[in-house]
Amino acid sequence: MGSLASEKTVTGWAARDPSGHLSPYNYTLRKTGPEDVVLKVLYCGICHTDIHQAKNHLGASKYPMVPGHEVVGEVVEVGPEVTKYRAGDVVGVGVIVGCCRECHPCKANVEQYCNKKIWSYNDVYTDGRPTQGGFASSMVVDQKFVVKIPAGLAPEQAAPLLCAGLTVYSPLKHFGLMSPGLRGGVLGLGGVGHMGVKVAKSMGHHVTVISSSGKKRAEAMDDLGADAYLVSSDAAEMAAAADSLDYIIDTVPVHHPLEPYLALLKLDGKLILMGVINQPLSFISPMVMLGRKSITGSFIGSMAETEEVLQFCVDKGLTSQIEVVKMDYVNQALERLERNDVRYRFVVDVAGSNIPDDSPSA
Ligand SMILES: NC(=O)C1=CN([C@@H]2O[C@H](COP(=O)(O)OP(=O)(O)OC[C@H]3O[C@@H](n4cnc5c(N)ncnc54)[C@H](OP(=O)(O)O)[C@@H]3O)[C@@H](O)[C@H]2O)C=CC1
Ligand SMILES: O=C/C=C/c1ccc(O)c(O)c1
Ligand SMILES: [Zn+2]
Ligand SMILES: [Zn+2]
């Protein structure tokens, strides 16, 4: 297929200021470059990062901003040098849409750690335009940052895997934590956390959920298959579980103490930070020395791992637990997500929301 003759106008739902309220916003997509894929957005998951960005929690937000980085779409056009995709394919796009291709992380195929990576929104593309995310009728994305959604995975199901699923899969793989029999903890049972339970259970781990309340106990154990459940404020329960876990995936999106969770780790245990927290976290050094424990972090995963986690979920028959909503519900969904009132990921049915678009065949 050839390139688009002209820029096309699309509609996204954008935040205009740190209130984070989204409303319709028109902008143009770049002309299709040789390696670009034009996609009609079908579904887009809502990640807590979308709140951090829309509300300027990190202090670097630029407006208007169309969030959304768990994007599943249908290919409607490809540039002349695109070899991997053709019109009609169902594909996914995640948190990054560009990298330098020359640095050590890029050459090692962990392009998410490139210092020149380009975020799928709230960033500037190589042509100088702002990047805009998946709460929009269409996107244009370089084929390197597009993955095929495998057969057997419904598009709305695939959406949360592109960030939440990937974010838990990547560190478990990288840190050698895929062996059956490991004892894992998931701190914060939200979008990322519920995928943590499901992915870790599929690897054969014994999984303990550590939550801020008892409200999710029954569903964690009965629906998600967790083996144990701790309420973080229950000192007796927490003390009884001391020195029991090989790792904890910490997804809490706000400032919190680390020591209660370091105490749960065994010798050589790892506390893997996922939450985006713009304030210093603290602990006293014996909490890590006496037990050779590690505090580390992890950022999404590579494009190769994105393909892997999608196939892993197909192979294991693993699904995400989602609430599908229309675009005009997005502000209520963001409010509910912020007040911890979703089980466990909102996915916006973008294509079913009648958003205007003049892209080809969109
Ligand atoms: N490192 C990375 O690559 C990635 C990082 N993130 C970040 O991870 C964090 C979690 O994302 P996500 O799973 O989408 O978020 P969710 O809001 O879906 O889940 C967060 C969970 O943390 C717990 N929690 C504890 N305190 C609070 C609080 N004050 N407000 C809200 N939740 C609280 C809740 O679980 P409970 O009820 O069990 O206490 C809640 O469900 C965010 O900071 C996000 O930006 C997301 C994706 C990738
Ligand atoms: O949801 C995915 C993005 C995570 C993220 C991690 C770290 C950071 O500084 C961000 O701005 C986003
Ligand atoms: Zn995310
Ligand atoms: Zn690079």
Side-chain angles (χ1 to χ4, degrees), residues 124-130:
V124 178
Y125 202 65
T126 49
D127 61 359
R129 290 167 192 253

Side-chain angles (χ1 to χ4, degrees), residues 234-250:
D234 186 326
E237 233 176 37
M238 292 287 282
D243 288 322
S244 67
L245 301 177
D246 293 295
Y247 67 86
I248 296 173
I249 291 171
D250 178 348

Side-chain angles (χ1 to χ4, degrees), residues 97-164:
V97 293
C99 66
C100 82
R101 299 167 197 242
E102 286 166 5
C103 68
H104 169 64
C106 283
K107 288 194 169 147
N109 292 322
V110 284
E111 57 286 320
Q112 75 273 29
Y113 295 113
C114 172
N115 286 333
K116 293 182 180 164
K117 67 183 160 298
I118 301 175
W119 302 77
S120 48
Y121 66 88
N122 197 38
D123 206 346
V124 178
Y125 202 65
T126 49
D127 61 359
R129 290 167 192 253
T131 56
Q132 302 291 8
F135 299 144
S137 46
S138 293
M139 285 178 85
V140 183
V141 182
D142 184 309
Q143 66 170 336
K144 179 176 171 63
F145 299 94
V146 174
V147 290
K148 186 111 187 271
I149 303 300
L153 202 49
E156 65 275 25
Q157 272 294 323
L161 306 181
L162 296 164
C163 176

Side-chain angles (χ1 to χ4, degrees), residues 84 108-112 144-147 166 169-170 173 301-312:
K84 287 167 68 183
N109 292 322
V110 284
E111 57 286 320
Q112 75 273 29
K144 179 176 171 63
F145 299 94
V146 174
V147 290
L166 175 64
Y169 179 86
S170 175
K173 181 174 181 192
S302 64
M303 294 314 298
E305 286 169 335
T306 309
E307 290 176 345
E308 268 177 56
V309 74
L310 292 168
Q311 194 56 49
F312 177 88

